[in-house]
């Protein structure tokens, strides 16, 4: 499998048993590539999605036809790109990885589509940010594997159809609702990625720790898992921070006590919330009497942009039952008040 990416995270991977040059080895040994699962067996969590995908992949191989186009949506850090690479590997296909903001001009997307080979997978991250023209170029490419182009000028202007190889588009978005209807309808498989359970995150941490030769016991892995807000990307980041703490402050082994002390220093609480999460809840409590408060006002008060609040902070706060999105704005839940002891404000009347 070859991975070609326009970000610097992933460069490429080689098919098992292929000759490997020094340069390629250095890519393979990079941290991100190394800990990224490559097969469904290595990929932990998202079990119902994995079952669906395994069946579709097997059917596509048996029918000798490309896999249906796939749309993944859900909060950031849950492994959409990783899953696309796993699919490419399981299909024995090459994957090209890009994101919508880098497909600004029509020639960007046309060039990309024309560079594909039969069976290739094209991964477009943040696909909701594709502009209208690029989106319309994609429609016939997805539906009929062709590009509709025009040549000539004035009276000699004519449209032509150029066939392109049969490929699979995998789109990823944090905002399924922002995708246009016609684009969404062209995906055969649409699936939401769910937050991971603590048990699944524990397994992700144990797997990463093993690859990075970090010593951790089961309770240590679970202590990190509980504060990773359901997100493998965060779990993998925290395991490295806790490893550093363990090396400096103890014997380098991560047990529950070491993990808890390290995470306390990082100011990540027992719910996995960081300073920004807590500030967000506090602002609603103290400045707006528990809410509802509009997202624009909240963003200004917090000093964060609306997109970051909506995509990064809110999904987990909502999922954990701390925050409610209502038509009139964001509101704290009784559970949030209880957990954070937010009783000094006048919320009881206004909230419930
Ligand atoms: N690293 C990041 N996400 C992972 C996953 N879902 N399974 C295993 N390792 C991971």
């Amino acid at each position: 499998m070859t991975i070609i990416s326009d970000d610097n995270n992933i460069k490429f991977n080689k098919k098992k048993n292929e000759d490997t040059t020094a340069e390629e080895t250095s890519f393979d040994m990079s941290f991100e590539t190394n800990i990224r699962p490559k097969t469904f067996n290595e990929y932990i969590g998202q079990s119902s999605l994995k079952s669906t995908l395994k069946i579709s992949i097997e059917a596509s191989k048996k029918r000798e036809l490309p896999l249906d186009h796939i749309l993944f949506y859900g909060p950031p850090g849950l492994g959409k790109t990783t899953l696309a690479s796993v699919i490419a590997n399981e299909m024995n296909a090459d994957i090209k990885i890009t994101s919508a903001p880098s497909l600004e001009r029509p020639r960007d997307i046309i060039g990309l589509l024309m560079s594909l080979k039969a069976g290739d997978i094209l991964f477009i991250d943040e696909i909701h940010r594709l502009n209208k023209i690029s989106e319309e170029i994609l429609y016939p490419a997805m539906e009929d594997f062709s590009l509709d182009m025009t040549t000539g000028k004035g009276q000699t202007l004519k449209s032509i159809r150029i066939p392109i190889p049969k490929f699979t588009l995998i789109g990823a978005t944090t905002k399924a609702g922002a995708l246009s209807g016609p684009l969404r309808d062209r995906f055969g498989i649409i699936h939401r990625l769910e937050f991971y359970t603590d048990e699944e995150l524990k397994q992700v941490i144990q797997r990463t720790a093993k690859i990075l030769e970090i010593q951790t016991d089961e309770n240590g892995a679970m202590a990190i898992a509980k504060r990773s807000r359901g997100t493998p990307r965060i779990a993998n980041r925290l395991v490295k921070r806790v490893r550093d703490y363990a090396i400096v402050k103890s014997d380098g082994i991560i047990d529950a006590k070491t993990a808890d002390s390290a995470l306390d220093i990082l100011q990540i609480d027992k719910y996995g919330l960081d300073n920004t999460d807590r500030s967000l809840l506090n602002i609603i409590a103290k400045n707006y009497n528990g809410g509802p408060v509009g997202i624009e006002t909240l963003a200004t008060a917090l000093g964060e942009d609306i997109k970051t609040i909506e995509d990064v902070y809110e999904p987990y706060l909502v999922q954990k039952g701390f925050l409610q999105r209502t038509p009139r704005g964001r509101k704290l839940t009784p559970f949030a008040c209880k957990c954070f002891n937010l009783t000094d404000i006048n919320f009881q009347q206004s909230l419930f």
Side-chain angles (χ1 to χ4, degrees):
M1 177 185 60
T2 304
I3 302 178
I4 299 170
S5 158
D6 69 358
D7 76 23
N8 290 326
N9 258 345
I10 313 168
K11 281 297 178 207
F12 77 79
N13 244 329
K14 296 225 81 179
K15 217 184 259 174
K16 296 172 205 88
N17 306 326
E18 267 184 284
D19 288 343
T20 310
T21 67
E23 188 196 19
E24 289 154 4
T25 308
S26 74
F27 282 133
D28 268 348
M29 293 316 286
S30 74
F31 171 77
E32 280 300 335
T33 312
N34 207 18
I35 64 166
R36 233 173 240 271
K38 295 180 182 60
T39 61
F40 281 128
N41 277 347
E42 289 173 6
Y43 189 98
I44 295 153
Q46 312 295 343
S47 53
S48 88
L49 174 53
K50 275 198 299 192
S51 308
T52 307
L53 291 172
K54 278 182 190 168
I55 291 172
S56 300
I57 288 174
E58 205 177 319
S60 136
K61 282 182 179 167
K62 281 194 175 150
R63 296 168 66 219
E64 294 182 22
L65 284 173
L67 194 59
D68 265 351
H69 304 302
I70 304 170
L71 179 68
F72 292 140
Y73 67 99
L78 298 189
K80 300 183 210 71
T81 315
T82 305
L83 202 47
S85 304
V86 167
I87 293 170
N89 192 38
E90 297 276 355
M91 290 289 295
N92 220 356
D94 290 343
I95 180 167
K96 289 202 163 161
I97 298 177
T98 187
S99 78
S102 52
L103 300 173
E104 224 169 65
R105 299 160 306 178
R107 69 164 186 240
D108 297 328
I109 190 143
I110 291 172
L112 190 57
L113 290 167
M114 292 191 67
S115 73
L116 297 173
K117 306 183 302 310
D120 275 2
I121 288 181
L122 172 62
F123 178 79
I124 305 183
D125 203 5
E126 296 191 81
I127 195 159
H128 63 278
R129 293 177 66 186
L130 217 51
N131 62 45
K132 196 80 207 125
I133 298 175
S134 300
E135 201 178 302
E136 281 173 5
I137 293 168
L138 259 189
Y139 295 160
M142 290 174 76
E143 220 160 45
D144 305 319
F145 303 109
S146 64
L147 293 174
D148 288 340
M149 316 265 259
T150 48
T151 63
K153 272 192 194 145
Q155 293 210 322
T156 63
L157 185 83
K158 32 173 216 199
S159 12
I160 49 167
R161 281 214 127 182
I162 301 174
I164 56 168
K166 292 188 174 152
F167 71 104
T168 297
L169 175 67
I170 304 183
T173 177
T174 49
K175 288 178 178 304
L179 224 65
S180 76
L183 182 56
R184 201 173 45 239
D185 292 346
R186 284 172 170 82
F187 288 97
I189 302 169
I190 301 182
H191 220 289
R192 185 188 146 82
L193 270 80
E194 304 294 342
F195 281 114
Y196 286 60
T197 63
D198 291 347
E199 181 55 39
E200 288 166 346
L201 283 181
K202 186 189 88 180
Q203 290 173 37
V204 170
I205 290 162
Q206 286 175 316
R207 177 179 175 275
T208 301
K210 198 168 163 204
I211 294 170
L212 298 180
E213 296 178 6
I214 299 171
Q215 285 191 65
T216 171
D217 70 18
E218 195 148 338
N219 295 336
M222 187 49 117
I224 301 174
K226 281 184 189 300
R227 302 207 211 182
S228 297
R229 49 189 312 146
T231 310
R233 187 186 292 162
I234 296 180
N236 283 336
R237 196 174 70 217
L238 292 182
V239 81
K240 288 195 289 168
R241 297 287 69 77
V242 176
R243 181 250 341 248
D244 293 349
Y245 177 90
I247 289 170
V248 174
K249 298 282 183 189
S250 65
D251 52 3
I253 299 168
I254 300 176
D255 55 17
K257 191 163 163 276
T258 314
D260 283 335
S261 307
L263 294 166
D264 285 346
I265 288 174
L266 293 170
Q267 300 189 314
I268 297 166
D269 68 21
K270 61 179 175 182
Y271 307 106
L273 307 193
D274 64 15
N275 276 332
T276 311
D277 296 301
R278 285 189 295 270
S279 295
L280 189 150
L281 298 177
N282 253 315
I283 286 169
I284 304 179
K286 304 257 154 73
N287 302 8
Y288 302 97
N289 218 20
V293 52
I295 184 76
E296 292 87 1
T297 313
L298 192 56
T300 310
L302 193 63
E304 281 285 351
D305 65 282
I306 294 175
K307 191 174 155 14
T308 309
I309 296 180
E310 284 181 338
D311 293 353
V312 179
Y313 293 101
E314 277 187 352
Y316 185 68
L317 293 173
V318 170
Q319 200 250 358
K320 281 281 155 194
F322 293 125
L323 191 71
Q324 260 180 300
R325 285 182 190 158
T326 75
R328 289 174 53 227
R330 276 54 177 175
K331 217 169 127 174
L332 294 187
T333 61
F335 178 62
C337 305
K338 195 169 139 245
C339 294
F340 297 101
N341 218 8
L342 299 168
T343 47
D344 53 326
I345 42 159
N346 196 13
F347 240 159
Q348 307 302 358
Q349 302 114 20
S350 73
L351 257 182
F352 321 116

